[in-house]
């Protein structure tokens, strides 16, 4: 099933896609270039909300709302806490990015990487269409898949989270003995 | 809809995140750029899951695993940044050059 550009642009779903995708990319660009730390982290919210909206569009409801809960609800707050604790300058600062001479190779590398991926994808898939899902993936079916096919990875992830929890506490707390000496 | 539009969006987000990882000096913002790259990977996984019509929802389950591991990664990452800040009073990755040469 191939799609011509005329077909593509007349499909309403693609306008919704563009409406979501353009702010997502612009906000992602702002995350990596903004001169203000808080604004950079807050535009990460827009990027992640955009991806969550795309997941809803693709019918992946559970993944979409998990992104909203975990990323926008918890990870971004963690970033803001990190900014406050490390006393990063809250006003605009040029100290957040490398100077222009160091940025040029990074720009080149990113553009080349995007070009290579875009070329490979267009050559492999062309204008192959995907049908708009007529109903969302049931959360129950994801749960079934997770506890049948993916049960061992699931347990491994839970173990990794436990290790991260213990590791985070161990790293972040002060050693009580050291504190007594100081 | 085509699969290409989602993969191109993912590629754009990944390239932008890579640029951020390479050019940011503040360690917290490097971690934020890594989050952009992980979001790009999630877009690809979910798009291909829908494209292939996988009955076991492999792509969506993998995206959920990545979300869980990314949360753990940010927790540990920020704990390490705090540890460095406590010892060296800086969150600038350029100042961490003790092991250089």
């Amino acid at each position: 099933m191939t799609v011509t550009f005329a077909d593509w642009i007349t499909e309403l779903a693609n306008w919704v896609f563009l409406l979501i995708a353009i702010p997502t990319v612009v906000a992602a660009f702002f995350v990596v270039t903004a001169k203000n730390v808080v604004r950079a982290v807050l535009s990460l919210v827009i990027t992640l909300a955009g991806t969550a909206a795309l997941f809803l569009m693709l019918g992946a409801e559970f993944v979409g709302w998990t992104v909203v809960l975990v990323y926008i609800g918890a990870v971004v707050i963690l970033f803001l806490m990190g900014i406050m604790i490390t006393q990063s300058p809250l006003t605009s600062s040029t100290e957040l990015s490398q100077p222009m001479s160091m940025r040029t190779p990074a720009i080149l590398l990113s553009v080349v990487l995007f070009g290579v991926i875009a070329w490979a994808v267009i050559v492999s898939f062309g204008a192959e269409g995907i049908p708009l899902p007529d109903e969302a993936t049931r959360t129950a079916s994801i749960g079934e898949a997770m506890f049948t096919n993916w049960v061992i990875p699931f347990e491994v992830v839970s173990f990794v989270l436990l290790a991260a929890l213990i590791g985070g506490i161990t790293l972040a707390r002060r050693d009580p003995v050291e504190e007594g000496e100081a | 809809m085509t699969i290409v539009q989602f993969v191109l969006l993912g590629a754009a987000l990944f390239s932008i995140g890579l640029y951020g990882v390479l050019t940011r000096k503040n360690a917290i913002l490097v971690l934020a750029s890594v989050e952009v790259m992980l979001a790009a990977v999630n877009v690809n996984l979910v798009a291909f899951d829908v494209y292939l019509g996988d009955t076991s929802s492999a792509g969506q389950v993998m995206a959920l695993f990545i979300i869980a591991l990314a949360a753990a990664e940010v927790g540990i990452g920020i704990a390490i940044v705090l540890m460095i800040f406590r010892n060296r009073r800086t969150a600038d990755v350029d100042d961490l050059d003790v092991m250089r040469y």
Side-chain angles (χ1 to χ4, degrees), chain A residues 38-64:
Chain A
V38 181
R39 285 189 188 164
V41 171
L42 289 181
S43 40
L44 186 65
V45 172
I46 300 175
T47 305
L48 295 169
T51 59
L54 285 178
F55 294 158
L56 293 183
M57 197 178 149
L58 284 165
E61 276 190 341
F62 187 67
V63 184

Side-chain angles (χ1 to χ4, degrees), chain A residues 8 71 96 98 126 128 172, chain B residues 4-5 23 25 35 51 86:
Chain A
W8 190 83
Y71 272 116
L96 298 173
Q98 303 283 359
E128 214 166 323
Chain B
V4 172
Q5 70 196 55
T23 58
K25 285 170 89 174
E35 290 307 307
Y51 172 67
R86 196 179 292 153

Side-chain angles (χ1 to χ4, degrees), chain A residues 18-137:
Chain A
L18 286 178
L19 205 66
I20 299 167
I22 292 169
T24 305
V25 172
V26 171
F29 196 71
F30 205 67
V31 172
V32 297
T33 55
K35 288 191 164 59
N36 183 318
V37 220
V38 181
R39 285 189 188 164
V41 171
L42 289 181
S43 40
L44 186 65
V45 172
I46 300 175
T47 305
L48 295 169
T51 59
L54 285 178
F55 294 158
L56 293 183
M57 197 178 149
L58 284 165
E61 276 190 341
F62 187 67
V63 184
W65 291 120
T66 307
V67 167
V68 173
L69 275 176
V70 175
Y71 272 116
I72 301 175
V75 169
V76 171
I77 302 300
L78 205 58
F79 275 124
L80 290 173
M81 295 283 282
I83 286 169
M84 283 191 277
I85 294 172
T86 57
Q87 298 163 9
S88 305
L90 294 182
T91 48
S92 291
S93 164
T94 51
E95 289 298 297
L96 298 173
S97 289
Q98 303 283 359
M100 199 59 211
S101 58
M102 307 271 280
R103 266 184 263 170
T104 316
I107 293 171
L108 269 176
L109 185 67
S110 308
V111 170
V112 167
L113 178 75
F114 178 72
V116 169
I117 298 176
W119 173 77
V121 167
I122 290 170
V123 165
S124 323
F125 294 102
E128 214 166 323
I130 41 175
L132 194 66
D134 44 0
E135 58 178 6
T137 314

Side-chain angles (χ1 to χ4, degrees), chain B residues 15-62:
Chain B
S15 308
I16 291 170
L18 177 72
Y19 171 77
V21 170
L22 291 175
T23 58
R24 281 303 201 185
K25 285 170 89 174
N26 187 305
I28 304 269
L29 291 176
V30 174
L31 286 174
S33 306
V34 172
E35 290 307 307
V36 174
M37 293 170 87
L38 288 167
V41 173
N42 280 343
V43 169
N44 273 5
L45 279 172
V46 174
F48 275 107
D49 179 84
V50 174
Y51 172 67
L52 298 171
D54 189 3
T55 46
S56 65
S57 299
Q60 292 186 38
V61 174
M62 278 296 160

Side-chain angles (χ1 to χ4, degrees), chain A residues 78 160-161 163-169 171, chain B residues 31 70-82:
Chain A
L78 205 58
V160 169
L161 283 176
L165 184 74
I166 297 170
I169 293 170
L171 281 172
Chain B
L31 286 174
E73 172 252 345
V74 169
I76 293 293
I78 288 183
I80 292 172
V81 174
L82 291 188

Side-chain angles (χ1 to χ4, degrees), chain A residues 120-159:
Chain A
V121 167
I122 290 170
V123 165
S124 323
F125 294 102
E128 214 166 323
I130 41 175
L132 194 66
D134 44 0
E135 58 178 6
T137 314
R138 285 168 52 247
T139 304
S141 71
I142 291 182
E144 274 164 26
M146 203 178 259
F147 285 101
T148 51
N149 289 351
W150 302 97
V151 67
I152 291 174
F154 178 82
E155 294 297 334
V156 172
V157 167
S158 71
F159 195 77

